[in-house]
Amino acid sequence: MARYSSRHGHLTRRLFQLYAGLALYGASSALLVRSGLGLEPWNVLHQGLSERTGLSMGLVLTLVGAAVLLLWIPLRQRPGLGTVSNVLVIGAAMDAALTVVPHAHAMAVRVLLLTAGIVLNGAATGLYIAARFGPGPRDGLMTGLNRRTGVSVRLVRTAIEITVVVTGFLLGGTVGAGTLLYAATIGPLAQLFLRAFAVPSASDGSTVVAAGQPERAILRS
């Protein structure tokens, strides 16, 4: 009975971390949008598509995530609960946050929004990755291409992100100092929060932290 209770509590914590992390990821991305100082690579693309189609950024994020997930089929990637939840939750959370966070005009406020958005994004990344329910669709695309082509993860990720940033910028997405600051800081922040939110194993109470470079596991929404 005690073992069942322990495992139930372990699963409950993991589920809470997954959905809290995904919701916070969407909210943190909304703060970056409102700062107007630059977005994460994938959100540059999402914003550009949003500008061109008239759809909300959150809806575009969801549709692009679903399209990327279809690319898993030829790569023989298997989605997990976290993968599907990623597609459904982050975009909805972003749109909800954008409805309540106003546009900022004063530079001090914009810098504050940018800083808060990046730090919270790192915390969100640590929360949902440490829950260990599977990678986001964009991460799965990256690791799938790495496995199928033999090209390094770093090179695959760089090629994908340059492609989405350039495409998004040409479509009207925001690229700025915030984009560079995000790229430079999200790895160390994710590493910090991965350790902070590491979930103890249900069997022996030991903690499991994502192995390897944390940036390899970071979802780009």
Side-chain angles (χ1 to χ4, degrees), residues 135-217:
R138 297 155 185 83
D139 287 326
L141 174 64
M142 176 181 64
T143 56
L145 287 171
N146 160 251
R147 190 178 66 251
R148 298 287 287 181
T149 66
V151 178
S152 70
V153 170
R154 187 177 299 276
L155 184 57
V156 169
R157 174 178 163 181
T158 299
I160 291 174
E161 294 196 351
I162 288 176
T163 300
V164 298
V165 167
V166 171
T167 303
F169 177 73
L170 293 175
L171 291 173
T174 304
V175 176
T179 308
L180 297 177
L181 182 61
Y182 180 92
T185 60
I186 193 61
L189 283 170
Q191 181 67 65
L192 172 66
F193 286 111
L194 276 166
R195 296 189 180 278
F197 297 127
V199 180
S201 170
S203 58
D204 59 13
S206 62
T207 56
V208 178
V209 179
Q213 294 297 320
E215 58 267 29
R216 292 186 181 184

Side-chain angles (χ1 to χ4, degrees), residues 11-23:
L11 178 60
T12 299
R13 172 176 171 177
R14 290 175 62 208
L15 287 169
F16 174 80
Q17 284 198 196
L18 171 65
Y19 290 106
L22 294 176

